[in-house]
């Protein structure tokens, strides 16, 4: 099995996922279990492709960007499904399925990136978990930011905003736990790659800042549960800090020597 | 305020790094303070406040604000000390204000840990994992930073055993082992042939043709041209209008190609090379608008083959590469650098030796936090929503 077979597997997995999702969304009890079964089938199809690719390449397919995107798709799909089973959040399943589909589509449209090079520092078993938990976490926190904007709009129109903040809380807690894991995995990786777990590299500084911002939100919510408006503002600002950490860092004067700025 | 005054009084020199045993005493003192105020004075309003959520929010906010400044102001810019230096803002992580805000954070965090752990309840366990883990990681990481040793070892290929290593300020240290470099290796990714727009000088989108010894005879279409590889030489020198194979220092890859214009039937042929400091580079012009060029080979992997000898212990031969450090008697050896100008012909390698006695404590903190984060992921906020 190699990349020639990829489109067939990707389409099959996505069809299973989508049909499964529609069945689950239909709300009919008799259709939920077939929906779940189809989701499992979709995940298994991706897993089968990865496994056979692994055998074909005679090495773990963790090397190129295309290969890492394949894993993203798989994990997004699988985690979305697991969280759905645990929490019964249908939107989460839909959200992660769309993300997974986007990664599969990018892989289909840009096959030439399969041979892109990875610099030595990135060639590590930590690469995948570090990046995957961060991508998932950023996705969830982006969701919480959308909720906060909606909440602020509700406040603006004279409503309380409390009806959406519970959803924001849940997104933040899950996103924050992944953010914590990403940060800690990064620290453990840094120890292996650069000799120290924390060097106040600009990217690290901003990642830590992002983490602290959501920490403030969580604690603020715990003692000022009724100050919804302030909490929503904190949440929106925290996402701006996250965006600076993700993209903005490349433009900051303080980050010109960062080891995290890749490519020239 | 207090810390700003100290910072100004000390002329913006910041805090000297705490080394053993002073950092141990400070750590123990911190724990003692937390325990004493948490047990003896737990009814006092100030102490109750320290372990409250508002105290947590204020201490995290102060800490975050300082990290934010650090995120915007370039740190450790030497020379001309100005107002920033005086206030400690260009060395925030070593400034008094940062240290005191850290202590405030640790005392507040420590107080709440103590309050939640006495009496111990099972339902508080995840809380304790997160908070205690953070406390340990921050305390051990910051107190231990003074004991961290990062030294560079300079090794010449085929040189003799050495146990000298140098700190950032060039002071020499003797390591408890000695090391010798037998071979330094670099593997490169194969370079690519690309089509460059001669007007904008940018690589045109799309096709690349990777070059390896095995790619002779391979063809690739670039827009209107069909390019065929006639001969690829990994290590070549430019001698009298020709690239000739020669495996010695400074050589560059070169490839002889022919390009057929599919519209006009015209054939252009010649050498293409990315060149090096000792080899001239070449491109192949295709009409007025485009030319074919070779990208520089990118480093895939670099590693040092070394022999490590320690008194009373048998000698070990090993390979040290990026992301694969070698551990020996409390030290970790990292592949750090090499002669970048010479690239794969580098004759020396620089290793970094790191000793961090506080690492196990930091790892304990990280491990507790990972457990706490996994639990948090599983339970979420506990809020029920539709």
């Amino acid at each position: 099995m190699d990349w020639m077979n990829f489109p067939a597997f990707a389409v099959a997995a996505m069809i299973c996922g989508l049909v499964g999702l529609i069945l689950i969304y239909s709300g009919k009890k008799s259709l939920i279990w077939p929906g779940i079964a189809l989701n499992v089938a979709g995940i298994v199809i991706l897993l089968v492709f990865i496994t056979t690719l692994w055998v074909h390449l005679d090495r773990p397919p963790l090397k190129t960007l295309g290969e890492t995107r394949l894993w993203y798709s798989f994990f997004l799909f699988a985690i979305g499904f697991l969280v759905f089973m645990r929490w019964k959040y249908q939107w989460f399943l839909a959200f992660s399925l769309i993300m997974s589909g986007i990664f599969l589509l990018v892989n289909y449209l840009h096959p030439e990136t399969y041979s892109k090079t990875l610099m030595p520092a990135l060639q590590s078993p930590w690469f995948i978990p570090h990046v995957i938990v961060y991508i998932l976490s950023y996705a969830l926190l982006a969701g919480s930011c959308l909720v906060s904007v909606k909440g602020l709009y509700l406040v603006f129109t004279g409503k309380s905003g409390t009806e959406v903040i519970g959803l924001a809380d849940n997104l933040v807690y899950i996103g924050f736990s992944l953010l914590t894991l990403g940060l800690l995995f990064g620290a453990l990786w840094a120890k292996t790659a650069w000799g120290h777990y924390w060097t106040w590299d600009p990217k690290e500084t901003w990642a830590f800042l992002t983490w602290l911002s959501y920490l403030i939100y969580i604690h603020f919510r715990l003692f000022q549960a009724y100050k919804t408006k302030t909490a929503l503002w904190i949440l929106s600002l925290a996402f701006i800090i996250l965006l600076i950490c993700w993209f903005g860092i490349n433009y900051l004067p303080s980050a010109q020597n960062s080891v995290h700025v890749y490519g020239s | 305020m207090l810390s700003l005054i100290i910072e100004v009084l000390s002329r913006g020199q910041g805090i000297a790094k705490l080394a053993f045993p002073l950092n141990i005493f400070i750590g123990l003192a911190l724990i003692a303070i937390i325990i004493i105020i948490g047990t003896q004075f737990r009814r006092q309003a100030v102490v109750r406040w320290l372990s409250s959520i508002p105290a947590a929010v204020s201490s995290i906010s102060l800490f975050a604000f300082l990290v934010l400044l650090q995120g915007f102001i370039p740190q450790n810019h030497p020379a001309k000390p100005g107002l920033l230096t005086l206030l400690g803002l260009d060395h925030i992580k070593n400034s008094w204000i940062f240290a005191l805000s850290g202590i405030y954070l640790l005392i507040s965090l420590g107080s709440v840990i103590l309050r939640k752990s006495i009496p111990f309840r099972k339902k508080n366990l995840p809380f304790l994992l997160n908070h205690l883990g953070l406390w340990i990681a921050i305390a051990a990481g910051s107190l231990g930073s003074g004991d961290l040793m990062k030294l560079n070892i300079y090794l010449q290929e085929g040189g003799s055993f050495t146990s000298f290593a140098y700190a950032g300020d060039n002071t020499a240290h003797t390591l408890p082992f000695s090391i010798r470099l037998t071979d330094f290796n670099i593997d490169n990714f194969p370079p690519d042939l690309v089509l460059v727009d001669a007007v904008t000088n940018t690589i045109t989108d799309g096709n690349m043709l990777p070059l390896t010894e095995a790619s002779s005879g391979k063809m690739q279409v670039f827009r209107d041209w069909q390019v065929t590889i006639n001969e690829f030489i990994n290590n070549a020198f430019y001698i009298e209008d020709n690239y000739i194979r020669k495996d010695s220092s400074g050589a560059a890859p070169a490839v002889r190609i022919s390009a057929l214009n599919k519209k006009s039937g015209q054939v252009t042929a010649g050498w293409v090379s990315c060149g090096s400091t000792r080899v001239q580079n070449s491109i192949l012009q295709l009409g007025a608008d485009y030319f074919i060029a070779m990208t520089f080979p990118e480093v895939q992997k670099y590693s040092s083959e070394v022999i490590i000898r320690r008194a009373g212990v048998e000698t070990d031969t090993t390979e040290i590469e990026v992301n694969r450090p070698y551990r020996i008697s409390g030290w970790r050896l990292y592949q750090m650098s090499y002669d970048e100008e010479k690239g794969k012909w580098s004759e020396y390698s620089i290793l970094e030796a790191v000793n961090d006695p506080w690492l196990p404590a930091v790892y304990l903190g990280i491990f507790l936090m990972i457990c706490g984060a996994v639990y948090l992921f599983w339970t979420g906020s506990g809020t029920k929503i539709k």
Side-chain angles (χ1 to χ4, degrees), chain B residues 190-229:
Chain B
D192 293 302
L193 276 188
V194 289
L195 185 70
V196 182
D197 187 318
V199 180
T200 59
N201 243 330
T202 49
I203 295 176
T204 58
D205 46 270
N207 296 331
M208 284 182 160
L209 181 52
L211 299 167
T212 61
E213 298 283 2
S215 54
S216 285
K218 281 205 175 136
M219 284 187 279
Q220 171 77 55
V221 174
F222 292 99
R223 308 246 162 136
D224 293 337
W225 287 275
Q226 178 165 325
V227 171
T228 310
I229 297 176

Side-chain angles (χ1 to χ4, degrees), chain B residues 32-212:
Chain B
I33 290 171
I34 292 166
I35 291 178
I36 289 169
I37 64 171
T39 52
Q40 303 305 311
F41 304 98
R42 71 187 306 174
R43 279 165 211 287
Q44 299 275 334
V46 182
V47 177
R48 284 217 311 270
W49 189 77
L50 271 176
S51 69
S52 71
I53 297 178
V57 173
S58 72
S59 61
I60 301 168
S61 301
L62 177 61
F63 200 63
F65 176 68
L66 294 172
V67 178
L68 183 72
L69 289 179
Q70 186 170 325
F72 277 118
I73 303 170
Q75 299 290 301
N76 285 327
H77 270 238
K80 49 169 188 174
L83 186 64
L84 286 181
T85 311
L86 193 63
L87 296 176
L89 294 181
D90 62 0
H91 53 270
I92 287 174
K93 63 176 188 281
N94 299 321
S95 67
W96 280 95
I97 186 164
F98 193 61
L100 290 192
S101 101
I103 289 174
Y104 174 37
L105 183 75
L106 285 177
I107 289 181
S108 163
L109 187 55
S111 303
V112 73
I113 292 169
L114 196 68
R115 186 162 60 80
K116 287 266 189 174
S117 54
I118 302 171
F120 180 76
R121 287 195 192 91
K122 208 172 163 189
K123 73 173 168 69
N124 286 340
L125 187 64
F127 175 93
L128 289 175
L129 284 176
N130 283 317
H131 290 74
L132 186 62
L134 182 63
W135 196 93
I136 294 175
I138 291 184
S142 49
L143 289 173
S145 65
D147 289 338
L148 175 75
M149 296 253 274
K150 287 179 114 174
L151 308 171
N152 289 343
I153 313 173
Y154 301 92
L155 295 170
Q156 199 74 28
E157 219 168 29
S160 52
F161 278 96
T162 181
S163 51
F164 287 113
Y166 299 86
D169 56 1
N170 270 328
T171 50
H173 295 254
T174 311
L175 299 167
F177 53 87
S178 61
I179 184 164
R180 176 174 177 264
L181 179 68
T182 48
D183 198 10
F184 176 73
N185 290 310
I186 290 191
D187 293 344
N188 283 330
F189 287 109
D192 293 302
L193 276 188
V194 289
L195 185 70
V196 182
D197 187 318
V199 180
T200 59
N201 243 330
T202 49
I203 295 176
T204 58
D205 46 270
N207 296 331
M208 284 182 160
L209 181 52
L211 299 167
T212 61

